[in-house]
Amino acid sequence: MKIILIAIASLLITGCNITPKNYDGYSKDISVSHDDFKKITKIKSGSYLLGVENNLVTPVEVNFRAFGKKGIGFSPQLYVFTGASSWAFYDTAYGQNGEEYNVTQISRDVSSGTWVNETIGIDFTLEQLEKISHKDWKVEISGKKGKTVIMIPADMSKSFFDKIKIMSK
């Protein structure tokens, strides 16, 4: 229990939002920024703590983000931050339908003597993002020493997919 409380406190310190209960709640947390030098637009959802309500051992913080250009398209990614008492070495991700997603290791670090953080990016195509926006979607992330299941709310996926469609015009 102590480990779970430390995990929640660690994730809350990083700036997690309260997980919204509907499409409008997720939509209002989406931000858009533009780099005038690189001519790249970044779309980012709010960061939400998932897992506690799903009785997962390791709560995770997630947000969607996408980089792209108008007329060329955007590349969506689910950014996943985990905290635990030991490394899992996450390197694979599968959707509930058995589809494998590309995983990018973002960072691994020790936040205290007995607490480690792993951050990965799970790449989605726009077609995959649209598919998961129709119902709550489970993704299992795994590595050499552990695995966990993330439940991505449909409204979170749908609001982000809709924002990408608007920004792509």
Side-chain angles (χ1 to χ4, degrees), residues 63-164:
N63 68 279
F64 277 112
R65 61 187 189 168
F67 297 91
K69 296 180 178 184
K70 280 187 177 183
I72 295 176
F74 287 85
S75 301
Q77 185 178 63
L78 184 68
Y79 196 80
V80 181
F81 173 85
T82 65
S85 59
S86 63
W87 299 110
F89 299 103
Y90 295 118
D91 60 2
T92 58
Y94 287 90
Q96 66 188 37
N97 63 348
E99 185 172 11
E100 184 173 10
Y101 302 114
N102 185 49
V103 173
T104 303
Q105 180 188 332
I106 311 263
S107 68
R108 288 187 181 128
D109 62 285
V110 177
S111 64
S112 71
T114 60
W115 198 253
V116 297
N117 299 318
E118 293 184 67
T119 306
I120 61 170
I122 301 172
D123 299 331
F124 289 92
T125 65
L126 287 176
E127 294 78 20
Q128 290 168 327
L129 183 59
E130 182 179 26
K131 185 187 332 181
I132 71 170
S133 72
H134 296 294
K135 66 177 185 173
D136 292 348
W137 195 257
K138 291 180 187 175
V139 174
E140 179 185 83
I141 58 174
S142 61
K144 290 180 259 182
K145 293 190 172 187
K147 66 181 178 178
T148 194
V149 176
I150 304 164
M151 174 72 82
I152 305 167
D155 285 337
M156 180 181 180
S157 304
K158 176 79 171 133
S159 63
F160 195 74
F161 177 73
D162 288 349
K163 180 59 104 176
I164 288 176

